Amino acid sequence: MDYDKLLTLSSDLGYHLLLSGAEIYRVEESVQYLLTAYGVETGEVFVIPNCVIVSLTAPGQKPITRVRRVPGHGTDISRMEALNDLCRRLCACPPDLDQAAGELDCVVQEVRHTPMAVELAAYVLLTSAFCLLFGGTARDAFCGGICGLAVGLVVPFLTRLGTNLFFKAMVGGFFCGLLAAGLTNLGVGEHIDLIITGAIMAQAPGLVITNFMRDIMAGDMMSGLVKLAEALLTGAGIALGTGVALSLVSAVWGVL
């Protein structure tokens, strides 16, 4: 058994699972199952939202450890599912380590790109639907869809530039507030509060809050608190951006 290759394989699996948006417990369990499937009973796994640490002790050798730092990421359900399926297959019938590494590379390289038009349509549909859900009119839903379209154009662009989470949330909130106020003052929209509320739902950290609760209940306190901080930071960024936009419109037009 080449324990260096096994350590690399297991840490790479954990890295890509976390990069796809998997929960902390899922990453730790998957890596632990993989080590056990290859006969390692001394494996230890520690995962936080931006780091994967895997350690094992080979017979007659000193412990060896690998650390993988995980950059900022979103959620890719299809890739997460593919990695979970691969982990189950490797654990059920462990192949040669080189073959297993090759299968992992195939899953990772199978990139699925959603067309830009589909993403923008999803932003428009989501924000329009939330406007209606919160009691807005058809005109409010139309304005909410325009705000959602702006968010769908701006936020991915900032992501490609490597912009941090807080600034992206702030810019998205700014455009939502600016467009909602402008469209309402022009007579297109009716209820600026409902338009803004529906529009900012495209950036609301709902999945982050869900994972925060799951991590806390699973006993992963550090990971849960990190995700709580991320959710609060995102909310603060949205509120700050929206507030700046409304203040700007009030200063220029005198009314909201």
Side-chain angles (χ1 to χ4, degrees):
M1 173 67 71
D2 189 333
Y3 289 98
D4 284 329
K5 286 186 178 180
L6 177 58
L7 185 63
T8 300
L9 173 66
S10 57
S11 60
D12 285 349
L13 175 65
Y15 171 85
H16 290 293
L17 273 171
L18 195 58
L19 196 62
S20 67
E23 305 92 328
I24 298 299
Y25 80 89
R26 184 192 301 272
V27 179
E28 290 184 339
E29 288 183 355
S30 298
V31 175
Q32 192 69 61
Y33 288 151
L34 184 64
L35 292 175
T36 303
Y38 280 94
V40 176
E41 301 295 338
T42 57
E44 298 289 344
V45 187
F46 178 73
V47 180
I48 56 177
N50 63 343
C51 184
V52 178
I53 303 175
V54 184
S55 177
L56 61 86
T57 303
Q61 301 180 23
K62 295 182 179 180
I64 52 178
T65 303
R66 190 175 186 196
V67 180
R68 294 293 306 271
R69 180 173 176 81
V70 182
H73 55 84
T75 302
D76 189 336
I77 299 296
S78 59
R79 176 171 291 185
M80 189 193 309
E81 182 182 6
L83 290 169
N84 277 331
D85 180 66
L86 173 64
C87 183
R88 294 188 187 96
R89 288 190 283 108
L90 295 180
C91 293
C93 185
D96 177 78
L97 288 174
D98 290 329
Q99 179 183 343
E103 293 184 25
L104 177 60
D105 289 338
C106 289
V107 172
V108 171
Q109 292 173 6
E110 189 179 348
V111 181
R112 300 173 176 86
H113 291 292
T114 304
M116 186 64 176
V118 176
E119 291 187 5
L120 293 178
Y123 273 101
V124 173
L125 180 62
L126 174 69
T127 51
S128 299
F130 270 112
C131 283
L132 294 175
L133 178 66
F134 294 136
T137 64
R139 288 165 58 185
D140 292 333
F142 174 76
C143 295
I146 294 177
C147 295
L149 181 62
V151 173
L153 289 171
V154 171
V155 172
F157 174 73
L158 295 176
T159 301
R160 289 193 292 271
L161 293 179
T163 309
N164 63 65
L165 175 68
F166 179 79
F167 188 75
K168 285 191 295 185
M170 185 175 64
V171 172
F174 176 81
F175 276 97
C176 286
L178 189 65
L179 287 173
L183 291 170
T184 303
N185 285 331
L186 290 174
V188 180
E190 297 182 53
H191 307 95
I192 185 174
D193 54 339
L194 299 179
I195 296 173
I196 292 177
T197 304
I200 64 176
M201 292 303 292
Q203 293 182 275
L207 184 59
V208 176
I209 294 175
T210 301
N211 286 340
F212 145 68
M213 292 300 299
R214 295 188 68 172
D215 287 341
I216 291 294
M217 289 188 289
D220 298 316
M221 301 299 295
M222 183 180 297
S223 299
L225 292 176
V226 169
K227 290 180 180 177
L228 174 60
E230 179 183 344
L232 293 176
L233 194 63
T234 302
I238 295 173
L240 179 60
T242 305
V244 170
L246 295 179
S247 299
L248 180 62
V249 171
S250 179
V252 173
W253 281 341
V255 292
L256 288 178

